Amino acid sequence: MKFEEACVLLPCHSLEDFPTHYEGAAAEGLLAAWSALWHPQLLAACGRLPTWYRADGPPDALSGRLIVIPSTSEPLLLAGWASRATSEGAHVVRKLQRRDEIVAAALAGLDDRQENLDPELTADFLALGYGYLAVELLTRQMRYMSNIDEVHLQNEALAAARACLTGDVEATRRHLQNSFEVLVEARERFYPVDAFLVDLTLVAPTTVGESLRRQFASDVPQNLLIAGDTLAHLAHAAPETLAALRMALDHGTVTLVGGERAERELPLLPIEETLDEFHTGAKIFEDLLGQAPRVYGRRRFGLSPLLPQILSRLGFIGAVHATLDDGRFATAAQSKVRWEGLDYSAIDALVRLPLDASRADTFLGLPRTLGESMDRDHVATIVFAHWPSQADTFYGDLRRMAAYGAVLGKFVTLNDYFVNTTSPGELIKFKADGYRAPYLRQAVAHHESSPISGLAGKHLQQARQCATNTLHMLADMVGAPAGETHEGPSASSDAPLDELERRQIAAGRRLAGALAPRGTDATGLLLVNPQSYAQRSLVDVTALSALPAVEGAVVAAQESAGRRFVVADTPGMGFCWLAPGGSAAATKKGTKTIVQENTLANEFLRVEISPASGGVQAIYDLGQRGNRLASQLAFRTPGPKPKPGDIWRDPDDGAEYAEMKADGIETTHNGMALGEIKSHGQLIDRQGKALARFVQRYQLARGARVLVVDTELELDQPVMGDPWESYYAVRFAWPDVAAELYRDVGGARQLTEAKRLEAPNYLEIGTARSRTTILTGALPYHRRSGPRMLDTLLAVEGETQRHFRYGVGLDIAHPLQQALDLLQPVVCVAPAARPAGPHTTNWLFHVDAKNVVATHWSKLSTAEQTGGFRVRLLETEGLAGRVQLRAPRDVANARHLNFRGETLAELPVAGDCVTIDVAAFEWVEIEARLRS
């Protein structure tokens, strides 16, 4: 049989209402039915281009026609029409979905089928068919009339088909090139500049073999989204793939997208650990490939407003501001934006959400999606994401089209995209509330044993390790002999807390030995402050033979329950030496002990513990009237689900909370330095059933603005279900419904209106007259359950941690400092000899700006072991200003560095002082060399 015409019946009246909404098999069948007719043998057999008819108005003359009926058109046909068409001499192909099946069924109707056609050339013809349809639909999406030169296209396509049948590859490609150029010219009539197509290939340890290696053979630009640990696995498991990747990188056809060692919970990690992830990842890439990624991206959620300044200072030129995981991230009207972080730093970002290249409906709707981008984007861009060799058939068509010309767009590597496309003039700063992590639900779904405490532990570990590093650096600066060091957050990633404690004490002893002259009797105790700011600390000094005198740095002292306590002031990056010689109970000011019945009180606040619940009934500021905060432990369960048709109600309105009931309250410490009240009891549901048992210890020290709470839970009722709906928590309430809530984002204070919050360091309730701060103790997850109520999550399904420590502070000037103090107090070294010199307390380094916190200290890695140091300073409160850093000796020179160690500016020095201007929320790195 020789076909006179090849046609497809479409479920539309014209191409203006061509259906692009179908999904799955329906979308694939529709595109396959159209493009299959462009097979070179079918073109040659018909002697004309394929055409189409309405499914509800098929052609009258049927003899000699090849008619393809997609499944979406079947309901529009008259009953029995397909049988009549066959009986009247038509070759009807129906009830097929895959293009290869449709092609085979269509070719079966030919009398003289030709076998062994070049499969690559054949695929190019099919791509031409998809390209023709896509350009026609895009033309209409852009509100233009069709302008394809049908005669020229038909002549070139038929010439290409005839050449293909004769085996003339060169002629076939030449005529195909001409055919695709017709489509390019048609598109350029209504969009004369390039649109950009980005291939984003995702890589996991299970996809590093042959499928990925084959992909590198293509000359069409592509981008490889891969983490450092996955690359290391690739190098070990598939060295041939690594060699192919190196070659593709050398040819410039592949861009690396990534940057970190692993896709961890980036927004909730300590910022130093975040930076360490990038440094470790860069080393893996450079060792294995000779280059690190210059474009940042990740598959798992991990975007944060902290990233622009980190990425820009690490040398990245752009970022993919979209992830393929759960979670929420901010979007913009443009595809390419200039993304500004919390400080002034900015980086180009691609905010277009990637399309799934494995779905046929992506390519059925591509003309609509691309048209919308052309309409609104400064740089029209479409991003396709897929696993190696897991892309849809029509994505292959798109890539084949790109080899002949920019029919729908130009495939580019992201390196070229960010370097060669114009930047928008507008800076976009996404709010912190625009991002919400999915980690809690994911951890519960994966049955992790520490969905909350795992992240909290990372903050505690990193605080301990950074303090240890700082103590070693201080010891180096004062000429201590070389000792054991464990520098870098990576050293503590998996270290147990008792090992970190051992390292910290060893570092403290090394410093203490360097401060004291040889041969001095070790009769005292040395407090060492590894933080860059002064700490007023409650310290257990039972190791001393007697209490120290209440003078100088010692604010108060007491002996109770067989233990000795002092409240002492220790300078930032300095020390305070205590020697026995005071009375059993003393204080500089005030005569009352801290505990009076069920109340804790010092110079700044009064805390009332409820005898009925055992929770905090009220916290008062002695300078103002009114209760500032109350808290209780709680077990939350969601209310009944609404029935279909019910009026919507806030789920929090129906949630049930267990009642906290105290079995007893007692005073465990009471004196001039420390007051501690312990309550114990049960959490009871509405039916009177015991759900959990609790022990809470409330500590208030002399001169402190923070109430510290230690909580222990023993659960009788396990938690099940959605961790954001069912949980044990500490529930806070405050009186002012108009109060604003702030949270820390990487240590930076940010206003929040979100209902689900991530805040590993602190939350702050602010009014015109007061600031009440919840120090979370690294507990990262919180839920605002009402306009003046907040739950800090303690235990969800799978959580094994039962001991928690947090704090509440009133009118704290610098909340991040207090939050860090809770994780890393001053280090006690006992026994310790008196330091040399006239002073028993002194600083070794000094940062004069209290809103600036040092996150890292290290000595310079040079031949001059004590010749200099590096420090990273973080501005935490949005207050730009000049910071002066003083060292133990005169400074020879100082530099402002990026995070790759490159000089950004030389800094002014005067004697022992280095001066740097710091922007709001800026994180700066300084290197200084000291004079001998």
Side-chain angles (χ1 to χ4, degrees), residues 42 59 83 150 227 268 314 317 342 355 373 411 418 496 499 515 579 583 653 711 741 759 770 820 822 826 893 895 927:
L42 296 177
S83 299
E150 299 279 352
L268 299 184
L314 284 169
I317 61 171
L342 293 179
L355 302 178
S373 180
F411 275 95
F418 284 116
E499 170 61 16
L515 290 172
S583 62
D653 293 341
T711 297
L741 189 62
S770 65
L820 296 177
L822 202 61
V826 295
N893 56 72
R895 301 185 296 155
E927 177 185 280

Side-chain angles (χ1 to χ4, degrees), residues 271-553:
I271 57 173
E272 280 294 335
E273 195 157 350
T274 296
L275 186 58
D276 186 68
E277 281 290 307
F278 280 102
H279 284 315
T280 307
K283 187 176 188 310
I284 294 173
F285 281 100
E286 289 167 355
D287 288 347
L288 294 175
L289 297 174
Q291 60 179 280
R294 300 180 67 209
V295 176
Y296 174 73
R298 54 187 281 156
R299 181 179 64 85
R300 188 186 184 198
F301 179 86
L303 298 174
S304 162
L306 295 171
L307 279 173
Q309 69 166 314
I310 295 175
L311 297 177
S312 62
R313 295 184 185 205
L314 284 169
F316 286 85
I317 61 171
V320 178
H321 189 275
T323 56
L324 303 174
D325 194 358
D326 294 330
R328 185 179 70 188
F329 50 85
T331 59
Q334 294 286 317
S335 289
K336 184 181 181 183
V337 302
R338 189 73 176 160
W339 179 21
E340 186 177 13
L342 293 179
D343 71 333
Y344 65 86
S345 299
I347 189 170
D348 285 346
L350 178 57
V351 299
R352 173 71 64 177
L353 186 66
L355 302 178
D356 187 347
S358 67
R359 297 172 59 93
D361 42 273
T362 293
F363 302 97
L364 181 63
L366 181 60
R368 180 187 67 250
T369 308
L370 184 57
E372 291 171 352
S373 180
M374 289 176 171
D375 266 339
R376 73 182 187 184
D377 278 339
H378 180 73
V379 180
T381 310
I382 300 293
V383 183
F384 299 97
H386 62 94
W387 297 102
S389 300
Q390 295 296 312
D392 187 76
T393 299
F394 302 101
Y395 188 55
D397 290 353
L398 194 63
R399 290 178 63 85
R400 287 180 179 277
M401 292 158 52
Y404 286 95
V407 178
L408 296 180
K410 176 184 177 182
F411 275 95
V412 291
T413 65
L414 284 171
N415 270 349
D416 290 339
Y417 178 81
F418 284 116
V419 170
N420 297 325
T421 59
T422 56
S423 295
E426 181 182 4
L427 289 172
I428 294 183
K429 177 176 283 192
F430 298 120
K431 292 183 178 179
D433 280 356
Y435 303 88
R436 189 173 69 197
Y439 304 136
L440 182 59
R441 280 194 174 128
Q442 289 175 345
V444 170
H446 296 158
H447 305 291
E448 293 182 11
S449 62
S450 54
I452 294 177
S453 62
L455 284 168
K458 289 298 178 185
H459 282 262
L460 183 57
Q461 287 176 316
Q462 205 270 342
R464 297 285 172 85
Q465 184 60 45
C466 278
T468 301
N469 295 345
T470 301
L471 294 179
H472 279 299
M473 187 278 298
L474 291 174
D476 290 329
M477 292 298 104
V478 295
E484 177 187 22
T485 61
H486 295 269
E487 291 195 0
S490 60
S492 68
S493 295
D494 300 311
L497 290 179
D498 56 354
E499 170 61 16
L500 293 172
E501 192 81 20
R502 185 196 68 78
R503 295 178 187 175
Q504 192 171 93
I505 294 299
R509 287 175 178 161
R510 182 167 173 251
L511 174 60
L515 290 172
R518 294 180 182 274
T520 306
D521 290 337
T523 59
L525 181 147
L526 187 71
L527 304 182
V528 184
N529 183 2
Q531 308 288 11
S532 58
Y533 47 85
Q535 290 195 61
R536 172 166 289 184
S537 309
L538 173 70
V539 183
D540 187 330
V541 295
T542 307
L544 291 177
S545 59
L547 287 172
V550 179
E551 59 185 16

Side-chain angles (χ1 to χ4, degrees), residues 721-743:
D722 185 340
W724 284 107
E725 298 291 341
S726 299
Y727 51 75
Y728 286 93
V730 54
R731 187 162 168 80
F732 298 99
W734 56 92
D736 191 347
V737 71
E740 293 182 320
L741 189 62
Y742 295 83
R743 64 183 172 115

Side-chain angles (χ1 to χ4, degrees), residues 764-786:
E764 186 178 88
I765 304 153
T767 69
R769 300 177 58 198
S770 65
R771 295 165 67 174
T772 306
T773 305
I774 300 169
L775 307 173
T776 66
L779 293 167
Y781 299 118
H782 317 271
R783 175 179 178 134
R784 193 164 185 175
S785 54

Side-chain angles (χ1 to χ4, degrees), residues 608-850:
E608 295 181 359
I609 307 302
S610 168
S613 70
V616 176
Q617 181 171 300
I619 301 180
Y620 297 96
D621 172 10
L622 298 187
Q624 296 182 22
R625 285 187 174 185
N627 180 13
R628 294 278 288 272
L629 194 75
S631 71
Q632 288 192 13
L633 296 175
F635 176 58
R636 183 191 195 274
T637 53
K641 292 184 178 180
K643 298 178 181 179
D646 284 355
I647 297 175
W648 182 90
R649 291 186 303 172
D650 190 325
D652 284 329
D653 293 341
E656 295 183 0
Y657 286 88
E659 180 183 355
M660 188 179 180
K661 181 179 179 181
D663 293 334
I665 297 178
E666 60 183 286
T667 299
T668 50
H669 289 287
N670 189 17
M672 302 302 178
L674 168 66
E676 181 181 89
I677 294 176
K678 182 180 80 170
S679 70
H680 61 95
Q682 303 176 81
L683 295 180
I684 308 295
D685 67 11
R686 292 186 177 182
Q687 288 74 41
K689 177 184 176 183
L691 304 177
R693 291 179 290 279
F694 69 85
V695 175
Q696 287 198 294
R697 296 178 184 271
Y698 303 97
Q699 291 185 345
L700 184 64
R702 180 71 59 189
R705 290 186 175 273
V706 175
L707 170 72
V708 177
V709 185
D710 274 286
T711 297
E712 295 180 26
L713 287 176
E714 185 178 343
L715 307 186
D716 297 323
Q717 175 67 43
V719 191
M720 302 293 290
D722 185 340
W724 284 107
E725 298 291 341
S726 299
Y727 51 75
Y728 286 93
V730 54
R731 187 162 168 80
F732 298 99
W734 56 92
D736 191 347
V737 71
E740 293 182 320
L741 189 62
Y742 295 83
R743 64 183 172 115
D744 84 281
V745 177
R749 182 174 181 265
Q750 297 290 298
L751 179 67
T752 180
E753 297 177 350
K755 191 168 187 176
R756 297 177 188 171
L757 304 169
E758 294 103 26
N761 289 305
Y762 69 86
L763 293 145
E764 186 178 88
I765 304 153
T767 69
R769 300 177 58 198
S770 65
R771 295 165 67 174
T772 306
T773 305
I774 300 169
L775 307 173
T776 66
L779 293 167
Y781 299 118
H782 317 271
R783 175 179 178 134
R784 193 164 185 175
S785 54
R788 56 181 189 85
M789 302 194 79
L790 179 84
D791 299 347
T792 292
L793 277 60
L794 302 179
V796 296
E797 182 178 340
E799 179 59 60
T800 57
Q801 180 71 23
R802 296 293 181 262
H803 180 261
F804 312 93
R805 191 166 189 258
Y806 55 92
V808 177
L810 300 189
D811 300 321
I812 298 173
H814 309 289
L816 183 62
Q817 295 182 3
Q818 294 289 344
L820 296 177
D821 288 353
L822 202 61
L823 300 181
Q824 175 57 62
V826 295
V827 178
C828 299
V829 181
R834 178 189 171 104
H839 304 293
T840 57
T841 181
N842 208 343
W843 54 261
L844 301 175
F845 286 85
H846 179 69
V847 178
D848 72 339
K850 296 185 182 298

Side-chain angles (χ1 to χ4, degrees), residues 37-50 121-122 124-129 132 148-165 168 171-183:
L37 299 181
W38 290 70
H39 189 280
Q41 196 162 354
L42 296 177
L43 289 175
C46 295
R48 56 185 294 190
L49 294 180
L121 289 177
T122 300
D124 289 347
F125 280 92
L126 301 178
L128 178 64
Y132 175 85
I148 292 178
D149 188 339
E150 299 279 352
V151 174
H152 183 41
L153 177 62
Q154 178 169 281
N155 292 338
E156 291 296 332
L158 294 179
R162 290 189 289 267
C164 182
L165 297 183
D168 189 343
T172 303
R173 292 196 183 279
R174 184 174 67 253
H175 289 295
L176 277 175
Q177 180 70 52
N178 294 338
S179 300
F180 280 107
E181 285 180 359
V182 173
L183 301 183

Side-chain angles (χ1 to χ4, degrees), residues 218-241:
S218 172
D219 289 332
V220 178
Q222 55 193 290
N223 304 276
L224 203 66
L225 181 60
I226 184 170
D229 56 358
T230 304
L231 179 64
H233 173 80
L234 183 154
H236 173 74
E240 301 88 354
T241 304

